[in-house]
Amino acid sequence: MFQKIISSDHSKTTIIIRLMVGSVFLSEGIQKFMYPATRGAGRFVKMGFPNPEFFGNFVGVFEIACGILLLMGLLTRGASLAMLINMTVAIVVTKIPIAFGESFGPFNLRELNSYGFWSMTHEMRTDFAMWFGSLFLLIKGAGKWSFDNYFQSKKWANR
């Protein structure tokens, strides 16, 4: 089971996607603690989350942890799956309402100059890239230059 989770296609270029996705998640997670009023709990209050202090910190910790794991190429598939779920929630809660121009459930719509499909696509460009980057890493694994690849190798298996 563990071998399946850490398996990789041994691609040398996967590190580019890993570095991009991991560094963005790490940076965003850190900022949730550096700027709690605008990126952390305060943002979760504006979105209408119940218990925003908990969710702001929870998401921040997961983004930091998964960002580090992705940068190292360690447990890449698990970290990618966690961030795929994270990005799906972010898109549903903050971007889909922009397409319809109204809040839904407890979640509040941000004030923008325009709403609709094109406004939504503009607002979710980073979320979209991070979602597909995470999906890529979930499918492909960490690549050649990763701890997952090292642990998968015969060198490690023969220890």
Side-chain angles (χ1 to χ4, degrees), residues 30-41:
I30 290 169
Q31 289 181 65
K32 283 178 177 57
F33 294 101
M34 289 177 63
Y35 310 109
T38 56
R39 303 267 194 298

Side-chain angles (χ1 to χ4, degrees), residues 10-145:
H10 306 291
S11 171
K12 293 177 184 175
T13 57
T14 301
I15 193 169
I16 296 168
I17 303 297
R18 249 189 37 237
L19 292 175
M20 179 201 67
V21 173
S23 61
V24 171
F25 281 128
L26 177 60
S27 169
E28 288 299 314
I30 290 169
Q31 289 181 65
K32 283 178 177 57
F33 294 101
M34 289 177 63
Y35 310 109
T38 56
R39 303 267 194 298
R43 183 163 186 252
F44 283 73
V45 167
K46 290 179 190 169
M47 288 188 283
F49 266 83
N51 201 352
E53 189 82 23
F54 168 78
F55 282 108
N57 292 334
F58 179 79
V59 171
V61 166
F62 260 85
E63 288 178 345
I64 291 168
C66 290
I68 291 169
L69 289 172
L70 291 171
L71 287 170
M72 294 171 56
L74 180 61
L75 303 174
T76 301
R77 284 196 165 95
S80 297
L81 179 60
M83 290 299 93
L84 228 119
I85 293 166
N86 179 53
M87 293 314 304
T88 300
V89 171
I91 290 168
V92 168
V93 168
T94 65
K95 305 310 185 285
I96 300 300
I98 293 171
F100 299 108
E102 58 186 63
S103 300
F104 77 95
F107 305 112
N108 301 319
L109 179 67
R110 292 189 305 164
E111 190 170 320
L112 298 171
N113 291 333
S114 65
Y115 299 97
F117 177 78
W118 292 114
S119 183
M120 177 194 70
T121 58
H122 172 73
E123 293 295 324
M124 75 180 228
R125 64 194 179 277
T126 305
D127 300 305
F128 192 67
M130 297 305 292
W131 194 91
F132 276 103
S134 296
L135 180 63
F136 174 88
L137 293 171
L138 179 65
I139 294 167
K140 298 288 271 183
K144 183 171 178 69
W145 293 309

